[in-house]
Amino acid sequence: MAAFKFRMDFLINLRRRREEEAAARLARRIAAIRELESKIGQMESDRTRLSDDLSERAAGGHVPPPLFAMYSEYLAKLFQDLKKAAELLALSRREQSKEQAALRNAVMERQIMERIREKQAEAFWAEELRKEQNVLEEMHALMKARRDRMEKDD
């Protein structure tokens, strides 16, 4: 009996490779987003800690003008960094959604090719079964004809 050979296995392998690459890109993007969220959280905690520290010192009356100016400059820079990080996070999330869509498309393309292969395999095996059934019916007909001839001869 012949074996089924799908002529486009290379295409399935190519699409599987593209799917794996898309999944790896998405995983890297998610890791970068988590790192950025952690960085933003750290900046927020630094900002609140510094604000609280400045409030304590101001309540005690121990804030010289140069120290207050330094705190203000640092908080302004921290605020700008937070703003840039938030913009980068928004951009990264948009890219993440694009990469998720690319991964979905890659998975869908691979699955389509696999379904085509399965349908061709089913058609191949159905044809093989039909051929085998024909051979068996022919053999049965020949055996019956032989028996009939032998009964006539006797």
Side-chain angles (χ1 to χ4, degrees), residues 85-116:
E87 290 171 0
L88 185 59
L89 182 62
L91 178 66
S92 291
R93 286 199 172 132
R94 280 194 299 271
E95 290 298 316
Q96 177 188 8
S97 65
K98 289 178 186 176
E99 289 169 0
Q100 284 173 334
L103 178 59
R104 271 193 305 276
N105 287 339
V107 168
M108 193 169 54
E109 288 175 358
R110 178 191 51 83
Q111 288 175 344
I112 288 170
M113 288 307 297
E114 286 178 349
R115 283 190 206 125
I116 290 170

Side-chain angles (χ1 to χ4, degrees), residues 9 32 45 127:
D9 273 334
S45 67
E127 180 65 21

